[in-house]
Amino acid sequence: RIEAGTLLCAAAITGGDILLSGYDGGCLAALLHKLGDCGCSLSQTAQGLRLSAPKRLKGVDIRTQPYPGFPTDMQPQMMALLSVADGSSLITESIFENRFRHAGELARMGADIKVVGEVARIIGKPNLMGAMVEAADLRAGAALVLAAMAAEGESLISGIEYIDRGYQSLEKSLSSLGAEIYRIED
């Protein structure tokens, strides 16, 4: 469900359109609701779940909660998405302490994020800029990949071993959707 949610956020942050074949999205109802609030069009078809994103997303407020509430594992990806949304957003992290470590890396890409305790305020900007950033954990890494997809210029993300712990060949999945992304082997 988190991989599916990440792919939905990838389409949303880039203004894209995606069909997750054979997926009904039932276990991601809270995420789907927030993506709808951001301006995405969501529909369940016989083939699966379809998301069509607007050119510019709208800011929303989010509070992480235990299932069936908004999943804490989707909070970093949504922070990246809200960094390019129109308006101001608040994310309240009520599950884990220190879950905003990715905010500083997103700021290196030009995101306007201020964290105070368990709350992050995000003022969306039309564009982020490519940068050298480091993934501090699995979901933070996914958020940085999404932000890089929406950024102008090239980004280099280190710490991809964290991403590999939760996604199987994320770069291949995103490339198949049109992203210009590749892994640099040492």
Side-chain angles (χ1 to χ4, degrees), residues 1 3-4 8 17 19-20 39 42 44 48 68 70 73 78-79 101 107 126 135 146 149 158 165 175:
R1 75 182 178 110
E3 187 167 1
L8 291 169
D17 188 303
L19 172 68
L20 296 181
L42 294 141
Q44 188 66 51
F70 192 89
D73 283 342
M78 283 298 289
M79 182 179 284
R101 294 185 347 196
L146 297 184
M149 289 172 52
S158 61
R165 288 190 353 214
S175 289

Side-chain angles (χ1 to χ4, degrees), residues 78-132:
M78 283 298 289
M79 182 179 284
L81 184 150
L82 295 171
S83 294
V84 296
D86 187 32
S88 176
S89 303
L90 291 175
I91 297 178
T92 304
E93 176 55 63
S94 65
I95 307 293
F96 292 115
E97 291 182 30
N98 266 346
R99 191 69 194 255
F100 290 135
R101 294 185 347 196
H102 50 283
E105 296 300 294
L106 290 170
R108 292 180 61 162
M109 300 177 83
D112 184 351
I113 303 170
K114 181 175 182 175
V115 175
V116 178
E118 66 181 25
V119 179
R121 179 193 47 88
I122 304 109
I123 306 293
K125 295 182 161 190
N127 298 307
L128 297 175
M129 297 302 295
M132 291 181 65

Side-chain angles (χ1 to χ4, degrees), residues 16-78:
D17 188 303
I18 188 171
L19 172 68
L20 296 181
S21 295
Y23 190 72
D24 70 6
C27 58
L28 284 175
L31 172 65
L32 299 179
H33 179 77
K34 289 299 179 182
L35 288 170
D37 289 349
C38 285
C40 294
S41 173
L42 294 141
S43 59
Q44 188 66 51
T45 71
Q47 292 79 31
L49 179 65
R50 175 168 229 113
L51 176 139
S52 295
K55 209 169 192 153
R56 181 102 191 263
L57 300 161
K58 295 181 262 185
V60 297
D61 294 343
I62 294 170
R63 178 179 192 83
T64 62
Q65 298 175 327
Y67 186 82
F70 192 89
T72 188
D73 283 342
M74 286 304 305
Q75 175 267 110
Q77 297 92 312
M78 283 298 289

